[in-house]
Amino acid sequence: MHLRIYRYNPERDGEPYLQDFEVEPQGPMLLDALEAVKEELDATVTFRRSCREGVCGSDGMNINGRNGLACITPIAELREPVTLRPLPGQPVIKDLVVDLTNFYAQYRAVDP
């Protein structure tokens, strides 16, 4: 599987860039492929993950131009190369991890 992953470390990188990886995922979901990259190829690749069931939303990212969750995105439905970017409109902390402070502040402010 061919992945193009957005990379940016504000402590080291002047500009973000896309890095290519070839990996054999150990499961059917995109999150499995990301975990294989981290475990087998580059331990510095940074992304969030938690429940693996599409409930928490922690692994939200832009997948081939559409926002989605890596844990419930089947690899079989993706065209390669799979381009992964952080969620748009949010400040990037590192790689695919965005700062959700403003999002959560707005969420708490909503009074149904």
Side-chain angles (χ1 to χ4, degrees), residues 31-89:
L31 184 58
D32 298 313
L34 277 170
E35 289 175 339
V37 168
K38 189 165 186 76
E39 292 171 13
E40 300 169 15
L41 302 174
D42 188 343
T44 68
V45 172
T46 306
F47 55 93
R48 286 189 177 118
R49 63 194 180 282
S50 187
C51 74
R52 297 188 62 90
E53 296 176 1
V55 175
C56 72
S58 66
D59 62 342
M61 60 188 69
N62 187 278
I63 305 163
N64 284 346
R66 297 185 65 180
N67 296 337
L69 300 176
C71 64
I72 60 170
T73 300
I75 291 169
E77 295 179 7
L78 297 172
R79 62 175 165 64
E80 294 186 39
V82 178
T83 303
L84 304 174
R85 297 177 186 274
L87 290 172

Side-chain angles (χ1 to χ4, degrees), residues 80-98:
E80 294 186 39
V82 178
T83 303
L84 304 174
R85 297 177 186 274
L87 290 172
Q90 307 293 331
V92 176
I93 294 174
K94 184 178 178 191
D95 295 343
L96 300 172
V97 176
V98 296

Side-chain angles (χ1 to χ4, degrees), residues 1-5 7 18-23 37 41-42 44-45:
M1 168 173 223
H2 186 134
L3 298 175
R4 301 194 79 207
I5 300 176
R7 302 299 306 270
L18 291 173
Q19 184 174 1
D20 292 310
F21 294 97
E22 287 289 334
V23 67
V37 168
L41 302 174
D42 188 343
T44 68
V45 172

